[in-house]
């Protein structure tokens, strides 16, 4: 799903006004990534995971995406990992190999500062050269328009709604589907 507790150091770090460094993730970043995502798993309905992935789960995901040539990025503020984004396979069947799903998550105390936009912009730039033709955003309809608005600002268009497809924290949750097409690349792809 598209949309983050903070790394242990972020709780004591003062806010920084410096520009974020958006860079490829490294293995050393995955503990902070796991912390960010764990907040959303346990406290919200923006992801349908119900148990936070382990450090080994994150390492496997990182290695799988790296092996496929897909981007996994972090937003760094000073020495703090304040957010992350990656593109993963949309579906496992081979004909979907040119379509990815994005995930963008921020530390809860780092939202509303443009980090999500910086991460998504860089993710889109890096997916084109990776051979991606379509990016799909699966957004849990939590009542907030923030994630959908972020995606609209970056050229995603509505692609549908799935009603009451997830149940978490005692409520049914819809998902909104949005899609981004990498213009001019479809003709360049040959079946492989």
């Amino acid at each position: 799903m598209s949309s983050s507790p903070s790394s242990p150091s972020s709780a004591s770090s003062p806010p920084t006004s410096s520009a974020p460094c958006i860079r490829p993730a490294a293995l050393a970043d995955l503990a902070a990534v796991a912390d960010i995502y764990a907040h959303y798993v346990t406290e919200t309905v923006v992801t349908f995971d119900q148990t936070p992935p382990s450090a080994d789960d994150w390492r496997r995901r990182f290695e799988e995406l790296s092996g496929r040539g897909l981007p996994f990025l972090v937003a760094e503020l000073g020495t703090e990992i304040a957010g992350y984004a990656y593109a993963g396979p949309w579906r496992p069947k081979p004909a979907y190999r040119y379509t990815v799903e994005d995930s963008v998550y921020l530390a809860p105390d780092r939202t509303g500062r443009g980090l999500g936009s910086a991460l998504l912009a860089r993710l889109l730039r890096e997916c084109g050269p990776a051979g991606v033709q379509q990016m799909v955003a699966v957004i849990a309809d939590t009542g907030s328009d923030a994630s959908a608005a972020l995606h609209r600002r970056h050229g995603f268009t509505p692609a549908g709604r799935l009603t009451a497809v997830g149940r978490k924290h005692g409520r049914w949750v819809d998902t909104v589907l949005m899609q981004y097409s990498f213009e001019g690349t479809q003709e360049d792809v040959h079946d492989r």
Side-chain angles (χ1 to χ4, degrees), residues 62-72 87 100 126-132:
F62 176 79
E63 290 171 351
E64 176 198 355
L65 297 176
S66 296
R68 291 173 179 256
L70 294 172
F72 193 134
V100 296
E126 292 198 14
C127 278
V132 172

Side-chain angles (χ1 to χ4, degrees), residues 101-159:
E101 179 180 344
D102 74 320
S103 289
V104 180
Y105 287 88
L106 303 176
D109 62 341
R110 297 297 185 194
T111 62
R113 301 174 189 199
L115 291 175
S117 187
L119 281 163
L120 185 53
R122 173 86 178 260
L123 191 68
L124 289 167
R125 282 195 310 272
E126 292 198 14
C127 278
V132 172
Q133 304 302 304
Q134 302 290 324
M135 183 179 283
V136 176
V138 181
I139 302 168
D141 187 358
T142 64
S144 168
D145 188 51
S147 187
L150 168 68
H151 285 82
R152 281 192 303 273
R153 283 193 305 273
H154 287 276
F156 284 74
T157 57

